[in-house]
């Protein structure tokens, strides 16, 4: 319920700030969440600037896994939305805190100022689905943050 509340607040905030840019086809949450994928292996302790989203065939995200990350423990995650579409930017700045507190960092390379509410919804939903299926994270501890 807490994730849904934060997600709803984010969507309201981003909807109020978004401009009108070309519309893209969106998928429903049910369509996105039914995709099952094998857990991937990524190196810990370094910012990976671009990981392709397998779920919908377009888009990418930056990823930082703290050294505590392993296949036996689910860690919390923090998704960053950057206004310039540079997912690595916030990860470079917060990787020290990720190490200290054992948090997986994800930065959208597709979010940026001017995207529509529907596009933002697709980006966030795709990221949530993607990291839930590909990484060992605690899906009850996913937060979203934005830069402006």
């Amino acid at each position: 319920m807490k994730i849904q509340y934060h997600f709803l607040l984010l969507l309201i905030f981003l909807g109020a700030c978004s401009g009108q840019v070309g519309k893209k086809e969106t998928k429903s949450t049910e369509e996105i969440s039914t995709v099952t994928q094998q857990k991937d292996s990524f190196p810990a302790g370094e910012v990976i600037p671009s990981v392709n989203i397998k779920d919908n065939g377009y888009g990418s995200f930056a990823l930082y896994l703290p050294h505590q990350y392993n296949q036996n423990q689910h860690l919390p995650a923090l998704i960053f939305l950057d206004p310039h579409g540079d997912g690595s930017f916030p990860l470079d700045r917060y990787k020290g805190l990720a190490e200290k507190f054992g948090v997986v960092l994800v930065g959208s390379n597709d979010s940026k100022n001017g995207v529509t509410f529907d596009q933002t919804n697709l980006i966030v939903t795709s990221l949530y689905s993607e990291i839930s299926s590909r990484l060992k994270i605690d899906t009850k501890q996913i937060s979203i943050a934005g830069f402006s």
Side-chain angles (χ1 to χ4, degrees), residues 2 4 22 42 56 92 96 99 114-115 123 135 145:
K2 186 176 180 182
Q4 291 173 342
F42 297 102
N56 63 12
D92 285 329
E99 287 294 338
V115 298
I123 290 166
L135 302 171

Side-chain angles (χ1 to χ4, degrees), residues 111-133:
S111 64
K112 54 187 92 176
N113 286 342
V115 298
T116 66
F117 178 80
D118 288 339
Q119 290 170 318
T120 301
N121 187 26
L122 177 61
I123 290 166
V124 172
T125 306
S126 294
L127 282 173
Y128 177 85
S129 176
E130 193 76 6
I131 66 174
S132 297
S133 65

Side-chain angles (χ1 to χ4, degrees), residues 35-115:
V35 176
T36 304
Q37 297 171 341
Q38 184 176 4
K39 304 285 185 226
D40 288 309
S41 176
F42 297 102
E46 66 182 70
V47 173
I48 303 166
S50 185
V51 177
N52 289 328
I53 294 178
K54 294 180 181 180
D55 187 23
N56 63 12
Y58 93 97
S60 67
F61 59 93
L63 177 65
Y64 183 83
L65 300 174
H67 284 93
Q68 300 95 315
Y69 182 83
N70 63 58
Q71 292 298 318
N72 300 322
Q73 179 183 9
H74 290 83
L75 295 178
L78 180 56
I79 299 172
F80 288 99
L81 302 176
D82 181 71
H84 305 289
D86 182 3
S88 299
F89 182 78
L91 277 54
D92 285 329
R93 279 142 185 77
Y94 290 102
K95 63 186 178 185
L97 290 173
E99 287 294 338
K100 181 177 180 179
F101 296 105
V103 177
V104 173
L105 301 181
V106 176
S108 172
N109 289 326
D110 303 306
S111 64
K112 54 187 92 176
N113 286 342
V115 298

Side-chain angles (χ1 to χ4, degrees), residues 10-29:
L10 172 74
L11 291 179
I12 291 169
F13 173 76
L14 291 175
C17 295
S18 70
Q20 291 296 322
V21 175
K23 283 198 159 202
K24 298 225 181 215
E25 183 182 58
T26 60
K27 292 183 180 182
S28 69
T29 304

